[in-house]
Amino acid sequence: MITLNGTIQRKFYFPADPLTTLIYFSDLSRVTYLLPHIAVVDAYSSDKVRIRYQTVELGAYTINIFCDLNSTVDLDNMEIVIGPLADCEQIPQEVSLNATTGHGYYASTAKLSPEDDGTAIDYYFQFKSELLRPRGLRMMPKRVVDRIAHSISLGRVKEIAEGFMENALDAYDDWRAEQPRDLVQQWLAAREGELVAAERARKSP
C-alpha cells in the first residue's frame, strides 16, 4: 500500500469584507474548480460535490484519488467547513503497472475575521488516502516508497492550498462584477428561507 497524508495550515489576506468573502467561498461547486490538481467530477448541489485529484509522480506513475465532499457554512462563527459527504458509493481501488486509483479523505476549515480593509482567512487543509502500489513500484523497498509518498504528500498539499488562494484572488474581481449590488441582502434572505424550509421539513411527519 501507499499512504498519502498531508496537512497544512496557512493564513491569507483577502481583499473583501468578511461577509462578502464568506459568500464567495460558500459555493463549493464553484470554488472547487480553483483547486490545483483537482477536477470536479459531479456537482450534486452547490454544497455537495465529487472531486478527482490526479497527478503524475516520479515522472511515470499516475495517482487518481476521488473524494465526496460536503460544505457547511457557519454564519455565526464566520467559518466554512468541508468534509466527507456521507452515504456515497466509494470508487473501487484499481491498480496497473503505472497507475493507482482509490478513494480519499479531504477536510478543510476556513475561519474568517476582519483585517484592515479586508478579511484574514485562517485555513487548515488535510488530504489523505491509502492506495494500492502500482506494479512498477513493487520491487522498491517499502521504506523508500513511504519516504517518497511522505514528500509528495507535503508538497502537493502545499501546492493545493497556496494555489487555491492565488486562483481565488485572481477570480474574485470578475465574480464580484457579475453579482448584484444587494448581493449580501439576497444571500442572507435566501439562506434564511433555506433554514425555514429545512426546519419545516424536519417537523413534518
Side-chain angles (χ1 to χ4, degrees):
M1 299 294 288
I2 298 174
T3 300
L4 299 177
N5 190 356
T7 301
I8 194 169
Q9 190 158 3
R10 288 288 188 270
K11 187 170 184 177
F12 301 97
Y13 173 81
F14 200 77
D17 65 89
L19 188 49
T20 301
T21 301
L22 187 77
I23 295 170
Y24 178 63
F25 286 103
S26 66
D27 188 338
L28 182 63
S29 64
R30 179 175 52 79
V31 298
T32 42
Y33 284 97
L34 303 174
L35 291 161
H37 307 302
I38 288 175
V40 178
V41 178
D42 285 308
Y44 308 120
S45 66
S46 63
D47 59 355
K48 296 177 176 60
V49 299
R50 168 169 283 186
I51 62 171
R52 180 188 66 211
Y53 164 91
Q54 185 178 75
T55 59
V56 176
E57 307 296 352
L58 303 178
Y61 299 98
T62 301
I63 306 294
N64 294 293
I65 302 173
F66 291 82
C67 302
D68 293 291
L69 306 178
N70 178 64
S71 175
T72 302
V73 177
D74 185 339
L75 182 58
D76 292 335
N77 293 311
M78 297 300 289
E79 187 174 44
I80 300 173
V81 178
I82 299 173
L85 177 62
D87 301 324
C88 286
E89 183 178 353
Q90 292 197 1
I91 297 294
Q93 288 191 324
E94 297 180 357
V95 67
S96 66
L97 180 67
N98 59 358
T100 183
T101 298
H103 219 78
Y105 173 88
Y106 176 116
S108 69
T109 60
K111 179 73 173 176
L112 282 56
S113 59
E115 182 175 296
D116 298 329
D117 293 330
T119 301
I121 303 176
D122 286 303
Y123 182 69
Y124 169 86
F125 170 53
Q126 182 182 19
F127 186 63
K128 63 182 180 180
S129 184
E130 292 276 348
L131 299 168
L132 297 173
R133 190 189 299 198
R135 291 195 293 273
L137 289 177
R138 290 182 181 174
M139 298 301 292
M140 189 176 293
K142 183 178 185 301
R143 66 180 182 278
V144 176
V145 174
D146 288 344
R147 186 167 64 247
I148 293 171
H150 178 70
S151 176
I152 289 171
S153 298
L154 295 179
R156 292 306 188 189
V157 295
K158 181 179 179 181
E159 288 177 13
I160 292 171
E162 296 184 353
F164 171 62
M165 290 308 304
E166 290 174 5
N167 293 338
L169 284 166
D170 290 342
Y172 174 71
D173 286 342
D174 288 340
W175 173 85
R176 190 65 185 92
E178 297 172 353
Q179 306 309 309
R181 290 185 178 181
D182 60 345
L183 167 67
V184 170
Q185 290 80 5
Q186 287 191 27
W187 187 84
L188 290 173
R191 179 177 172 83
E192 180 64 24
E194 291 171 0
L195 293 174
V196 169
E199 182 64 16
R200 286 175 178 169
R202 186 183 68 82
K203 291 181 177 179
S204 63

